[in-house]
Amino acid sequence: MKLKTTYLLLAFLFMNVMNAQTSSETIQEVKTEKLKTNGEPIYREVEVMASYRGGYDVLLKNIEAATKNCKRGKMKTKRKTGEVVAEVLVSKTGEALEAKIIKSDADFCDRDIVLTLKRSHQWIPARINNKPVNSYVQITINLQNSYR
């Protein structure tokens, strides 16, 4: 009797594991379908990351110039520096199609950062198998609050 109960319990656990694997595969398929735009996929993991022409220092200087006037706002914390993480969708032609803020310690400069990133059209697209692809790039921007 104990042997039959053990087999029944093992069969039940095995069916649950198989069902969980099927569910996770279905969720993964749904995520990839949502990431497609104009019939072309958008990648998060690529062989060669997209980069800004002239380097990220040039891009960060453009962002610093755009956020010069908004840095007098208040940070969400009492620290004098804040970190903003932005995500840019770079097309396979090197244009910034979309920009959004993922994390922000200081929301007073978010609009200026997003506008600057959307206007940046000098990107070198990401590559997979030596072919340009659409991809996301995350950029971390450090803001310093100027209290005087």
Side-chain angles (χ1 to χ4, degrees), residues 28-46:
Q28 186 68 20
E29 289 174 12
V30 170
K31 285 181 182 175
T32 32
E33 287 299 317
K34 287 182 181 178
L35 291 178
K36 291 185 179 180
T37 57
N38 296 333
E40 297 176 6
I42 302 170
Y43 297 94
R44 291 194 182 271
E45 294 182 18
V46 293

Side-chain angles (χ1 to χ4, degrees), residues 38 61 67 85 90 116 118 147:
N38 296 333
K61 284 182 183 179
T67 59
V85 179
V90 179
T116 303
K118 282 183 181 178
Y147 290 112

Side-chain angles (χ1 to χ4, degrees), residues 55-74:
Y56 288 109
D57 292 335
V58 174
L59 180 63
L60 292 176
K61 284 182 183 179
N62 292 343
I63 292 171
E64 183 180 346
T67 59
K68 183 192 285 187
N69 294 329
C70 74
K71 288 185 181 178
R72 293 198 177 105
K74 292 185 179 179

Side-chain angles (χ1 to χ4, degrees), residues 3-46:
L3 187 61
K4 287 182 181 179
T5 308
T6 305
Y7 283 137
L8 182 63
L9 182 63
L10 286 174
F12 179 71
L13 290 174
F14 182 72
M15 288 188 325
N16 275 344
V17 168
M18 293 302 290
N19 188 23
Q21 288 177 352
T22 306
S23 297
S24 68
E25 289 171 2
T26 307
I27 291 170
Q28 186 68 20
E29 289 174 12
V30 170
K31 285 181 182 175
T32 32
E33 287 299 317
K34 287 182 181 178
L35 291 178
K36 291 185 179 180
T37 57
N38 296 333
E40 297 176 6
I42 302 170
Y43 297 94
R44 291 194 182 271
E45 294 182 18
V46 293

Side-chain angles (χ1 to χ4, degrees), residues 75-121:
M75 298 282 183
K76 290 181 182 177
T77 61
K78 295 197 181 224
R79 295 182 297 164
K80 290 190 176 186
T81 61
E83 184 176 272
V84 177
V85 179
E87 187 174 63
V88 181
L89 173 58
V90 179
S91 72
K92 66 181 186 177
T93 59
E95 295 182 58
L97 298 177
E98 177 184 312
K100 63 183 176 182
I101 302 295
I102 296 175
K103 177 189 159 225
S104 177
D105 291 340
D107 55 356
F108 52 86
C109 287
D110 290 354
R111 188 184 59 120
D112 294 328
I113 292 170
V114 168
L115 286 174
T116 303
L117 289 174
K118 282 183 181 178
R119 291 178 185 156
S120 61
H121 294 290

Side-chain angles (χ1 to χ4, degrees), residues 117-136:
L117 289 174
K118 282 183 181 178
R119 291 178 185 156
S120 61
H121 294 290
Q122 299 180 0
W123 289 89
I124 300 169
R127 294 187 168 274
I128 295 179
N129 293 330
N130 210 17
K131 293 181 183 176
V133 294
N134 301 324
S135 69
Y136 284 106

